[in-house]
Amino acid sequence: MLQFWTVALLLALTPGADWAYAIAAGLQPRSVVPSILGMVSGYVVVVVVVAIGVGALVTEYPAALTVLTLAGAGYLLYLGCSTLFARSVAAASASGRPLGSSAWSRFLRGAGVSGINPKGVLLLLALLPQFVSPHGWPAPVQMGVLGSLHLLDCAVVYLLVALAARRILRSRPTASVVVTKVSGALMLLIGAGLLAEQVVPLFR
């Protein structure tokens, strides 16, 4: 569980669509809480769908775990490279466009951002199955517990990102460049580690 929490935290720290929305929420004069709660709620739906569907698949077809892990590792490597060479996500949020006049509209926008975010779905598909133990609770239950840790990570990280954007990025937008590059490198390391776990045993 500690290993999953560490990896999930690193992934939550990776800039992407969620970060862009959190930064945009932080740059608005209104409260960031509805936007953050919306993003977390979107991931609740994703975690439930992945836990139920993928949990049953892995239980019936153990080889599916290897396929999902390899696919997830490849995606992480791609995402890491893209992040390293991408512009800072702060640039995408610098326009200052309003996110909605009511708390409910900001909540729904946040839920939409995370609920249809391909990165979030694919990362959960790659991560949750490989941390499931063949012993103990049923696979869907284990995935649900692990997914809850990810939700907690996201809530804390996105809230801090929004507050940091409100305090720092308004006057120092270049600070996000450093965060982006470091996160891209971490994604590459995680992807390479997942790939090595699956490939190295083949040569023994």
Side-chain angles (χ1 to χ4, degrees), residues 127-182:
L127 281 179
L128 288 180
Q130 68 171 312
F131 286 95
V132 171
S133 171
H135 311 289
W137 295 340
V141 176
Q142 294 186 50
M143 290 186 185
V145 173
L146 295 175
S148 298
L149 290 178
H150 180 64
L151 296 177
L152 179 61
D153 286 341
C154 289
V156 174
V157 170
Y158 297 156
L159 178 61
L160 292 177
V161 168
L163 296 178
R166 178 163 291 180
R167 281 180 167 268
I168 300 174
L169 295 185
R170 282 180 175 177
S171 58
R172 300 176 58 187
T174 55
S176 64
V177 175
V178 176
V179 176
T180 300
K181 302 307 178 184
V182 172

Side-chain angles (χ1 to χ4, degrees), residues 1-193:
M1 185 174 292
L2 180 60
Q3 291 178 334
F4 173 82
W5 178 81
T6 302
V7 174
L9 179 60
L10 291 176
L11 294 176
L13 290 170
T14 301
D18 293 343
W19 269 53
Y21 184 76
I23 291 173
L27 294 178
Q28 301 297 315
R30 302 180 180 89
S31 172
V32 302
V33 173
S35 299
I36 304 304
L37 289 178
M39 286 194 286
V40 174
S41 298
Y43 273 129
V44 169
V45 177
V46 175
V47 168
V48 170
V49 171
V50 171
I52 295 176
V54 179
L57 179 65
V58 170
T59 300
E60 188 170 355
Y61 304 102
L65 175 60
T66 301
V67 175
L68 289 173
T69 302
L70 289 174
Y75 178 73
L76 289 173
L77 292 173
Y78 164 76
L79 185 62
C81 291
S82 300
T83 303
L84 281 175
F85 295 101
R87 296 171 56 195
S88 168
V89 294
S93 305
S95 61
R97 290 178 297 177
L99 301 180
S101 57
S102 68
W104 178 244
S105 64
R106 298 197 300 278
F107 175 88
L108 291 178
R109 284 175 180 262
V113 168
S114 60
I116 62 174
N117 183 6
K119 184 189 81 169
V121 176
L122 290 175
L123 291 180
L124 288 173
L125 280 172
L127 281 179
L128 288 180
Q130 68 171 312
F131 286 95
V132 171
S133 171
H135 311 289
W137 295 340
V141 176
Q142 294 186 50
M143 290 186 185
V145 173
L146 295 175
S148 298
L149 290 178
H150 180 64
L151 296 177
L152 179 61
D153 286 341
C154 289
V156 174
V157 170
Y158 297 156
L159 178 61
L160 292 177
V161 168
L163 296 178
R166 178 163 291 180
R167 281 180 167 268
I168 300 174
L169 295 185
R170 282 180 175 177
S171 58
R172 300 176 58 187
T174 55
S176 64
V177 175
V178 176
V179 176
T180 300
K181 302 307 178 184
V182 172
S183 299
L186 290 175
M187 293 292 287
L188 287 176
L189 290 176
I190 295 172

